[in-house]
Amino acid sequence: MTRFSGSSGSSASSAASSSSPLSSYGWDDGFAASFAPFAAQGLLPGRLVRIDRGRVDAVVPDATGVRTVLAATAPVATGDPLKVPCTGDWAAIDPGSGPDAVVRALLPRRTALVRSASSKRSEGQILAANLDTAVIAVSLAEPLDLGRVERFVSLAWESGATPLVALTKADVVPDGAGLTHLVADTEGAAPGVQVLAVSAATGAGLDVLAAALAGGTAVLLGRSGAGKSTLANALIGADVQDVHAVRDRDGKGRHTTTTRDLLVLPAGGVLIDTPGLRGVGMWDAEEGLARTFTDVEELAADCRFHDCAHTTEPGCAVLAAVDAGELAERRLDSYRKLLRENQRLIAKTDARLRAELRRDWKQKQALGRHMGERKRGTRR
């Protein structure tokens, strides 16, 4: 799975980072230490706040605070889709003498949100980097899809960021009891994750959400029509993101946000708004799935077989919990689906694992046939 790491800071870099005009964008001791070799080359530290067709907008320090420069990315262009510059990256930037600056290097990423680029291609797409919180926007103006919540939360955990679910458009829910029920259902699908019901129209819950995001870097995720741009405007207190109406016939929004923009929050911290995501495929998210489905994983520890698939195996503690009403069958189905999807993605790029999965599948098929015959009384 993809892992990203940063550097720890020194006492010298601590003083430099605390006084940097970039501190409001998330600059700290660790990034200052990583940048130290580039400072000797006369380069400037900068954070990428927008990516657009091979060029980026980046904020860099100047005599009066910060300024935004347009920078070319050719020197860091790579064939690896997980190493391309993305919003949230910290970089070493050559201000140059012409109209454009140049990104000379990217600093090591601490966290990164990655999804599968396509169900037909075995490569990932990086959505944002150096995140502290992943805010998953889920609209209450349409039926609550807990499976989608579990998918987003799994990817958020895998990124290294802390997921937070924002149930947007809470004002459309007519009664408090119904809203409480929806929050509880979402909490059940995302154990240990903070779930907030918010409304940009009434302001409900926005103060709690703003406090949760203050001082860090957050990314705003969700499908088109989830109200991400409206929520971003409400948090910032200005109409910085365009907002279009949701289509009445299917509840889907148009892709109002077409780039990933990093925005400064008044209460401190920054927010990366992203385009609506129609599909969010798993990308090597084994640990993220384990954290999202802690209830299933804990039950699985008591299964008779350590490689139990929780389908037809005897002594399966997970199936016993479903039969006893202790675990929702919907949740087990979602766990199986996401786990299979993740395994298929890994197998596309790992020949050894492909062979293991085929062998494992044949063994499970044989076991399933055996158990079926026993049930029908045709085999003893």
Side-chain angles (χ1 to χ4, degrees):
M1 70 197 70
T2 307
R3 282 287 173 263
F4 303 89
S5 62
S7 304
S8 59
S10 63
S11 58
S13 65
S14 176
S17 63
S18 63
S19 60
S20 171
L22 291 174
S23 59
S24 60
Y25 285 86
W27 187 252
D28 62 20
D29 299 351
F31 291 122
S34 297
F35 180 75
F38 302 104
Q41 302 173 29
L43 303 180
L44 297 176
R47 192 161 201 189
L48 309 191
V49 298
R50 182 184 174 96
I51 312 292
D52 191 11
R53 300 177 184 176
R55 294 178 181 271
V56 301
D57 287 344
V59 288
V60 297
D62 69 5
T64 60
V66 298
R67 61 189 172 96
T68 302
V69 298
L70 181 65
T73 60
V76 292
T78 172
D80 186 341
L82 296 182
K83 294 181 180 179
V84 299
C86 73
T87 305
D89 269 327
W90 285 99
I93 296 178
D94 182 351
S97 57
D100 293 352
V102 179
V103 176
R104 295 297 181 190
L106 299 178
L107 301 190
R109 292 166 177 158
R110 294 178 181 172
T111 60
L113 184 69
V114 181
R115 70 166 177 174
S116 176
S118 168
S119 60
K120 298 180 181 179
R121 297 164 60 190
S122 56
E123 62 182 35
Q125 178 189 18
I126 186 164
L127 301 179
N130 297 313
L131 310 167
D132 299 299
T133 307
V135 181
I136 301 156
V138 180
S139 172
L140 293 180
E142 59 184 8
L144 185 60
D145 188 338
L146 295 178
R148 184 180 295 119
V149 171
E150 289 160 342
R151 178 180 292 272
F152 273 100
V153 168
S154 297
L155 288 176
W157 278 128
E158 188 66 32
S159 75
T162 299
L164 184 157
V165 180
L167 299 178
T168 64
K169 307 181 185 181
D171 53 287
V172 305
V173 180
D175 64 282
L179 187 59
T180 299
H181 182 71
L182 290 168
V183 170
D185 282 351
T186 307
E187 289 174 337
V193 175
Q194 185 175 16
V195 178
L196 298 174
V198 300
S199 169
T202 66
L206 293 182
D207 55 342
V208 180
L209 178 58
L213 305 184
T217 296
V219 62
L220 193 52
L221 304 168
R223 64 179 299 194
S224 298
K228 298 186 305 301
S229 294
T230 302
L231 183 59
N233 287 341
L235 289 169
I236 292 167
D239 291 336
V240 294
Q241 299 292 80
D242 290 336
V243 176
H244 289 165
V246 173
R247 295 193 302 245
D248 290 335
R249 69 177 183 272
D250 58 10
K252 294 181 180 179
R254 289 176 287 173
H255 287 291
T256 303
T257 302
T258 57
T259 57
R260 298 176 184 93
D261 299 325
L262 187 147
L263 311 166
V264 178
L265 296 170
V270 294
L271 177 68
I272 300 174
D273 190 13
T274 64
L277 300 172
R278 288 194 178 94
V280 184
M282 291 290 102
W283 179 261
D284 202 0
E286 183 177 352
E287 289 187 18
L289 285 168
R291 295 195 67 169
T292 301
F293 293 92
T294 52
D295 47 354
V296 180
E297 294 275 324
E298 289 171 0
L299 289 167
D302 293 327
C303 289
R304 181 183 301 177
F305 302 110
H306 70 88
D307 59 347
C308 183
H310 322 307
T311 51
T312 59
E313 296 87 348
C316 176
V318 176
L319 293 177
V322 172
D323 291 339
E326 298 169 358
L327 178 70
E329 188 170 2
R330 181 214 65 79
R331 186 151 169 83
L332 176 57
D333 288 343
S334 181
Y335 174 73
R336 289 170 176 156
K337 176 183 178 181
L338 294 177
L339 199 59
R340 286 195 303 269
E341 180 182 328
N342 192 64
Q343 288 175 332
R344 284 197 300 269
L345 185 282
I346 297 173
K348 286 182 180 180
T349 55
D350 190 327
R352 179 185 57 81
L353 182 59
R354 281 200 302 273
E356 289 179 357
L357 288 175
R358 282 197 298 269
R359 184 169 60 252
D360 185 57
W361 175 245
K362 289 180 179 179
Q363 290 174 346
K364 287 181 170 60
Q365 281 183 315
L367 178 59
R369 287 194 298 270
H370 173 76
M371 297 303 295
E373 290 170 356
R374 289 189 58 180
K375 286 183 179 181
R376 293 190 298 271
T378 58
R379 181 167 183 168
R380 299 182 181 278

